[in-house]
Amino acid sequence: MSLDDKATKPHDRLAAALNAEMNAVDAMIGQRMVSEHAPRIPEVTAHLVGAGGKRLRPMLTLAAAKLCGYDGPFHVHLATAVEFIHTATLLHDDVVDESLQRRGRPTANLLWDNKSSVLVGDYLFARAFQLMTDTQNIRVLSILSNASAVITEGEVLQLTAAQDLATDAGTYLKVVRGKTAALFSAATEVGGVIAGAPEEQIRALFDYGDALGIAFQMVDDLLDYSGTSDVIGKNVGDDFRERKLTLPVIKAVAKADAEERAFWSRVIEKGDQQEGDLERAMALMAKHGALKETRAEAIAWIERARAALRLLPEAPLREMLDDLADYIVARVR
Amino acid sequence: MSLDDKATKPHDRLAAALNAEMNAVDAMIGQRMVSEHAPRIPEVTAHLVGAGGKRLRPMLTLAAAKLCGYDGPFHVHLATAVEFIHTATLLHDDVVDESLQRRGRPTANLLWDNKSSVLVGDYLFARAFQLMTDTQNIRVLSILSNASAVITEGEVLQLTAAQDLATDAGTYLKVVRGKTAALFSAATEVGGVIAGAPEEQIRALFDYGDALGIAFQMVDDLLDYSGTSDVIGKNVGDDFRERKLTLPVIKAVAKADAEERAFWSRVIEKGDQQEGDLERAMALMAKHGALKETRAEAIAWIERARAALRLLPEAPLREMLDDLADYIVARVR
């Protein structure tokens, strides 16, 4: 997503409004990923952390805390912890997915190796929990350890559901809630908790993050069949090649006739993929309106996210979070 | 180690003295490794957790807490958390080491695959932190998140030091403190912390666990060149084949003449290992007293562990911890 694209403006405005805090997060990331005893650790993390990621999750934590009137220092710790957990899951996902590209660069496990991806991910995870203990707030530890468990359950569920055409939209939602939405909702929720916000605001922040994360993943899954590599930062058709049961596939399979079902069974269940199969899959999705329906569902979740925001204090930051929600689905408009 | 071996008695007596608590830990392990959304998770963990591990680390936490007069419920949570962290590191180590045997069974990654080892390890790690938040004690969270970071640093340091003949005893100690002693010392320390013990007792518990863990790893590294597969639960010579710079190798290399050095360079640095090389390595260790010296160092650490115990309340449990220390080195007497 290029920066002069109109659609990036909400994200940029949020980054500008949180400029001082985001700089503090950057500085803390640099400090905390250093290892006295194992100097090679930052080599691996610098690769990912320095790759110009959108820093969307830490920004959500900072925005949530400030929106609820927080003026202490610990939202920076929590935002850093959230980014570390996210980076750890990317590192471990690289081992898992054997994907070739992440944020437009070769993945860490190709640069170094699988062993480092596992261990450095573990290191960042441990560092995240150290940052949380710095806040002395047991509730944020509870929220983020719960989220960490749910993230992993989502990934395991995705593994076991992969290549299984019986996977339905309900299972897909569980996977998405786990692998993506759990960290979004925890990121916004801990912002409210550290600010000491009223329970209904904390709940609204959770709901906003949850719905935003679900929509975000739906759009991501949609782009995998409709984007271009330079826009989505990974290869179009990666999910197809990995035989993932994402919502567009689930919807196309649900409407498949016998011959189409045989096609899906061959390419997804048996993994027997040939030249032109990705194009055939995309054509079937178009025929059955699978991409259009996925997009409509993503928009519905964005509407829920925006509804939750209305329970939070009216402020410029709230408008930016609202625009951000809108921007998530603008990528597929 | 067979149960009718005289040397197992200290461990057995400790297990008997902590019988009710160890049963509670077993029950909690069973409850907490269940995943509602990803039922395949316990399949992997049951394999490891049900493999009849010694449960040494959780026993240390329980013993430390009771020795300091604790009568609440949370030492069971902490002992379970410690076992989960240990199991998570074993799962991730399986990915790392590609070892063929662990506790006498095929490793989880051969039964299922690498992906599961990574994700299920992550799940147990997250579950461990959930258990800690149950105690509402921020200090134990701080201790165990620090230990988790140090464990990973030790593993990364071991990776980078592997195959490098320049690795010295100082680096070895750092690696051992990380990969083994950090969890032992955290296990005993959190027992004292949850009991609200005086600071000098908490420090003594840390020192006991630290020294015990260092000796434990030294003995393990020694047995890799002098034990038999049924005693050590892994293959003799595994470290040699993985080209690890353990203390026996470091000591033999330090005294090597030019021809011996060429041998070490070939088998460890270049990894060009042939039939009879393991036997040659063992002969060189015997020639230079490397195994004997390693054993003497392990005994010295055990003496430090026992000295630390003297700062703790006199009680039958303290005697058992003392006997346990003795038992660690009895394996190589």
Side-chain angles (χ1 to χ4, degrees):
Chain A
M1 288 152 280
S2 97
L3 282 178
D4 45 24
D5 180 347
K6 256 191 176 172
T8 63
K9 278 184 182 164
H11 183 275
D12 282 349
R13 276 196 293 141
L14 204 48
L18 299 165
N19 185 48
E21 287 92 342
M22 286 302 290
N23 286 340
V25 168
D26 279 344
M28 196 169 278
I29 286 172
Q31 285 156 22
R32 299 296 182 112
M33 73 181 178
V34 166
S35 163
E36 190 198 336
H37 296 313
R40 284 193 73 175
I41 288 177
E43 283 179 33
V44 175
T45 47
H47 161 70
L48 263 180
V49 175
K54 293 183 297 296
R55 296 255 206 282
L56 186 55
R57 293 158 191 81
M59 205 145 64
L60 288 174
T61 299
L62 297 174
K66 280 191 87 169
L67 185 55
C68 294
Y70 184 63
D71 62 0
F74 291 127
H75 59 335
V76 172
H77 294 68
L78 293 175
T80 305
V82 163
E83 183 69 359
F84 275 180
I85 291 174
H86 174 57
T87 308
T89 63
L90 291 184
L91 279 165
H92 286 186
D93 201 41
D94 282 346
V95 175
V96 166
D97 279 338
E98 289 153 23
S99 55
L100 293 168
Q101 224 183 331
R102 166 82 61 196
R103 287 185 186 168
R105 299 190 184 194
T107 61
N109 75 50
L110 293 181
L111 281 187
W112 197 7
D113 57 22
N114 260 353
K115 301 184 187 199
S116 318
S117 293
V118 174
L119 292 176
V120 176
D122 289 351
Y123 183 71
L124 290 181
F125 200 53
R127 284 293 202 202
F129 277 88
Q130 286 181 312
L131 283 160
M132 292 176 229
T133 62
D134 288 349
T135 70
Q136 298 283 313
N137 185 316
I138 204 94
R139 186 167 170 192
V140 303
L141 277 150
S142 176
I143 291 166
L144 281 163
S145 57
N146 289 344
S148 299
V150 172
I151 289 167
T152 310
E153 286 177 291
E155 301 253 17
V156 172
L157 185 61
Q158 176 171 276
L159 269 184
T160 53
Q163 305 158 23
D164 179 0
L165 286 192
T167 301
D168 61 12
T171 301
Y172 172 80
L173 190 60
K174 270 193 209 168
V175 168
V176 166
R177 272 221 154 89
K179 67 176 231 176
T180 309
L183 193 54
F184 275 70
S185 56
T188 46
E189 188 181 8
V190 296
V193 167
I194 202 70
E199 287 305 319
E200 65 273 17
Q201 290 186 13
I202 292 173
R203 176 75 214 183
L205 283 168
F206 173 92
D207 288 342
Y208 171 78
D210 178 58
L212 193 76
I214 291 169
F216 184 87
Q217 188 59 52
M218 283 181 175
V219 168
D220 212 56
D221 291 345
L222 194 49
L223 286 171
D224 202 81
Y225 287 102
S226 59
T228 55
S229 293
D230 61 316
V231 167
I232 62 178
K234 58 179 188 174
N235 303 311
V236 170
D238 271 353
D239 291 346
F240 182 74
R241 281 180 288 274
E242 289 170 26
R243 301 149 68 191
K244 282 185 190 167
L245 268 289
T246 59
L247 198 55
V249 176
I250 291 168
K251 287 183 176 295
V253 169
K255 292 185 181 165
D257 62 26
E259 191 256 327
E260 291 168 10
R261 224 189 133 74
F263 166 78
W264 291 114
S265 173
R266 171 171 65 78
V267 296
I268 300 290
E269 289 192 325
K270 301 196 184 69
D272 169 18
Q273 298 188 2
Q274 297 153 14
E275 187 80 31
D277 280 346
L278 175 61
E279 291 69 23
R280 171 101 203 268
M282 289 162 81
L284 290 177
M285 287 171 187
K287 172 184 166 190
H288 293 301
L291 298 177
K292 219 166 131 183
E293 276 183 31
T294 300
R295 185 176 155 271
E297 286 197 30
I299 290 170
W301 280 105
I302 286 300
E303 289 313 317
R304 289 206 214 181
R306 300 173 77 171
L309 277 183
R310 283 176 218 124
L311 303 170
L312 291 161
E314 209 179 327
L317 270 175
R318 194 183 81 168
E319 294 316 302
M320 291 178 207
L321 289 175
D322 191 79
D323 291 349
L324 179 71
D326 200 53
Y327 161 67
I328 297 279
V329 285
R331 294 200 291 166
V332 286
R333 240 161 222 164
Chain B
M1 291 148 280
S2 97
L3 283 179
D4 44 23
D5 180 348
K6 257 191 175 172
T8 63
K9 277 186 181 161
H11 183 276
D12 281 349
R13 275 195 294 141
L14 204 48
L18 299 165
N19 185 49
E21 287 92 342
M22 286 302 290
N23 286 340
V25 169
D26 279 343
M28 196 170 277
I29 286 172
Q31 286 157 21
R32 298 296 181 112
M33 75 180 178
V34 165
S35 164
E36 189 198 337
H37 296 315
R40 285 193 72 175
I41 287 177
E43 283 179 35
V44 175
T45 47
H47 161 69
L48 264 182
V49 175
K54 292 185 296 299
R55 298 254 205 282
L56 185 55
R57 294 157 190 81
M59 205 145 64
L60 289 174
T61 300
L62 297 175
K66 280 191 88 171
L67 185 54
C68 295
Y70 184 63
D71 63 358
F74 291 126
H75 58 335
V76 172
H77 294 69
L78 293 175
T80 305
V82 163
E83 183 69 0
F84 275 179
I85 292 174
H86 174 57
T87 307
T89 62
L90 290 185
L91 280 165
H92 286 186
D93 201 41
D94 281 345
V95 175
V96 165
D97 279 338
E98 288 153 24
S99 57
L100 292 168
Q101 226 184 328
R102 165 82 62 197
R103 288 187 185 165
R105 300 189 184 195
T107 61
N109 74 50
L110 293 180
L111 282 186
W112 198 6
D113 58 22
N114 259 354
K115 301 183 186 195
S116 317
S117 293
V118 175
L119 292 176
V120 176
D122 290 351
Y123 183 71
L124 290 180
F125 200 52
R127 283 294 201 201
F129 277 88
Q130 285 182 314
L131 282 160
M132 292 176 232
T133 62
D134 288 349
T135 70
Q136 299 283 312
N137 185 316
I138 204 95
R139 187 166 169 193
V140 303
L141 278 149
S142 175
I143 291 166
L144 281 163
S145 56
N146 290 345
S148 299
V150 172
I151 289 168
T152 310
E153 287 177 290
E155 302 253 16
V156 172
L157 186 60
Q158 175 171 278
L159 269 183
T160 51
Q163 304 158 24
D164 179 0
L165 286 192
T167 301
D168 61 12
T171 301
Y172 172 80
L173 190 62
K174 269 194 209 168
V175 168
V176 166
R177 270 221 157 88
K179 68 176 229 178
T180 308
L183 193 54
F184 274 71
S185 57
T188 46
E189 188 180 9
V190 295
V193 168
I194 201 72
E199 287 305 318
E200 64 273 18
Q201 290 186 12
I202 292 173
R203 177 74 214 185
L205 284 168
F206 173 91
D207 288 340
Y208 171 77
D210 178 57
L212 193 76
I214 291 169
F216 184 87
Q217 188 60 51
M218 283 181 174
V219 168
D220 212 55
D221 291 346
L222 193 49
L223 285 172
D224 203 80
Y225 286 103
S226 59
T228 55
S229 293
D230 60 317
V231 167
I232 62 177
K234 60 178 186 174
N235 302 312
V236 170
D238 270 353
D239 291 346
F240 183 75
R241 281 180 289 273
E242 288 170 26
R243 303 149 67 191
K244 283 186 189 165
L245 269 287
T246 60
L247 197 54
V249 176
I250 290 167
K251 286 184 178 294
V253 169
K255 293 187 182 165
D257 62 25
E259 191 257 324
E260 290 169 12
R261 224 190 133 74
F263 166 78
W264 290 114
S265 174
R266 173 173 63 78
V267 296
I268 300 290
E269 287 191 327
K270 301 195 184 70
D272 169 16
Q273 298 187 1
Q274 297 154 14
E275 188 80 29
D277 281 345
L278 175 59
E279 291 69 24
R280 171 101 204 266
M282 288 161 81
L284 290 177
M285 286 171 188
K287 172 185 168 190
H288 293 302
L291 298 177
K292 220 165 130 182
E293 276 183 31
T294 300
R295 185 175 155 272
E297 287 199 29
I299 290 171
W301 280 105
I302 286 299
E303 289 313 318
R304 290 207 214 181
R306 299 173 78 172
L309 275 184
R310 283 176 218 127
L311 302 169
L312 291 162
E314 210 180 324
L317 270 175
R318 195 183 79 170
E319 296 315 304
M320 291 178 206
L321 289 175
D322 191 78
D323 292 348
L324 180 71
D326 200 53
Y327 161 68
I328 299 278
V329 284
R331 296 200 291 166
V332 286
R333 243 163 221 164

